[in-house]
Amino acid sequence: MAMRGSAMEQGSLAGKVVVVTGAARGLGREYARHLARQGALVTAADIRDVDETVAEITADGGRALAVTVDVGDEASTAAMAAATVDAFGRIDGLVNNAALYGGLSGGRFDQLPESDWQKVMDINVAGVWRCCKAVVGPMRESGRGSIVNIASLAAVYGLPFALHYATSKAAVIGMTRALARELGRDWIRVNAVAPSAVMTEGTAEFFGDKLDKAKDVIAAGQSLQRNLETGDLSGTIAYLLSDASEFVTGQTLMVDGGTVFL
């Protein structure tokens, strides 16, 4: 496919329709706000109330649609995609951000309840699959699209005492690569972003009273020694959704301050 337009035009999100799951708080809210500021029309989707996210986008002069979605239910993810097409006419991008993280109970791998394991796999892995299934039809109709799956440093570096979470994010990377192979013929790109622990409500919940110690240990292992904030990932997400990355697919971009090098 021939390159189109200037570099500035290729990096623009103006008019692109992007679905962001897990948009009620933390990283998802930041992604939705940033993409809207870049001109995208955003569907902010979450099992939680997203009205505050949409209100912030609207106050900034952007356009957003609030959708309640349960990524553990295929009918719900299909309804999310249908609502987006009804509102905006198409779907250009998906940010698969919804996941179980903050509320998880860690522990030695052989002591994790099987019910916790199954729930993490259903939401963090099958939930990504369901959302991809929901948007791929409209993307095929448009002749192109970009899916960005949120993985984690935990999948590459290894996170002890959270085997269910680390395994689920490793599966997201594998899914990203397989889907990139499968969907390339439709000019639908699939990439992943793997951040280190970002300072969100979910991270505070996950580490609990060990948060301060965890922050120090994480930062000390990075080449750029400060903890990641929500805004540190937004530019990478926007790049992968834009035409500036139109020949990038199947990749996992580490946004971890230089902890691991792939």
Side-chain angles (χ1 to χ4, degrees):
M1 177 175 285
M3 299 293 285
R4 302 177 312 281
S6 68
M8 182 175 293
E9 290 169 341
Q10 290 165 11
S12 173
L13 294 177
K16 286 189 179 292
V17 178
V18 181
V19 177
V20 181
T21 66
R25 66 176 193 169
L27 285 172
R29 177 184 287 186
E30 173 60 25
Y31 298 154
R33 292 180 60 192
H34 180 82
L35 298 174
R37 287 195 294 268
Q38 300 301 308
L41 311 178
V42 175
T43 291
D46 204 310
I47 199 166
R48 298 183 178 91
D49 188 290
V50 292
D51 287 347
E52 191 169 328
T53 300
V54 171
E56 290 176 351
I57 290 172
T58 302
D60 285 342
R63 289 182 60 191
L65 172 70
V67 173
T68 299
V69 67
D70 177 2
V71 301
D73 180 77
E74 187 167 352
S76 183
T77 55
M80 172 188 70
T84 301
V85 173
D86 286 346
F88 299 128
R90 65 185 191 281
I91 298 175
D92 300 307
L94 166 67
V95 182
N96 260 319
N97 174 68
L100 294 179
Y101 172 49
L104 290 180
S105 296
R108 294 187 180 278
F109 86 96
D110 54 345
Q111 295 176 6
L112 294 173
E114 185 170 352
S115 59
D116 286 3
W117 180 277
Q118 296 295 350
K119 188 174 182 180
V120 170
M121 296 306 151
D122 186 48
I123 299 302
N124 293 14
V125 183
V128 171
W129 170 65
R130 292 184 190 102
C131 290
C132 289
K133 287 177 66 178
V135 305
V136 73
M139 286 183 177
R140 282 187 175 127
E141 289 182 10
S142 297
R144 63 192 299 111
S146 177
I147 295 171
V148 180
N149 297 324
I150 306 302
S152 172
L153 173 67
V156 179
Y157 188 80
L159 179 64
F161 310 115
L163 187 65
H164 45 3
Y165 179 75
T167 301
S168 73
K169 291 303 185 177
V172 167
I173 293 174
M175 190 189 313
T176 297
R177 293 171 177 172
L179 282 175
R181 298 281 188 193
E182 185 169 338
L183 296 178
R185 68 192 65 187
D186 299 308
W187 211 259
I188 297 171
R189 301 181 295 106
V190 189
N191 293 286
V193 174
S196 178
V198 187
M199 296 304 105
T200 63
E201 303 99 317
T203 296
E205 292 169 4
F206 183 80
F207 286 105
D209 59 7
K210 298 180 177 63
L211 178 63
D212 288 339
K213 181 178 180 180
K215 288 168 62 176
D216 291 342
V217 171
I218 291 167
Q222 298 172 183
S223 300
L224 305 175
Q225 294 191 349
R226 72 160 172 80
N227 294 119
L228 271 70
E229 302 293 340
T230 54
D232 290 325
L233 284 97
S234 299
T236 302
I237 301 295
Y239 162 71
L240 290 173
L241 291 168
S242 78
D243 292 343
S245 61
E246 69 174 354
F247 216 63
V248 178
T249 194
Q251 304 304 308
T252 298
L253 301 187
M254 307 301 297
V255 184
D256 61 2
T259 304
V260 299
F261 304 132
L262 299 182

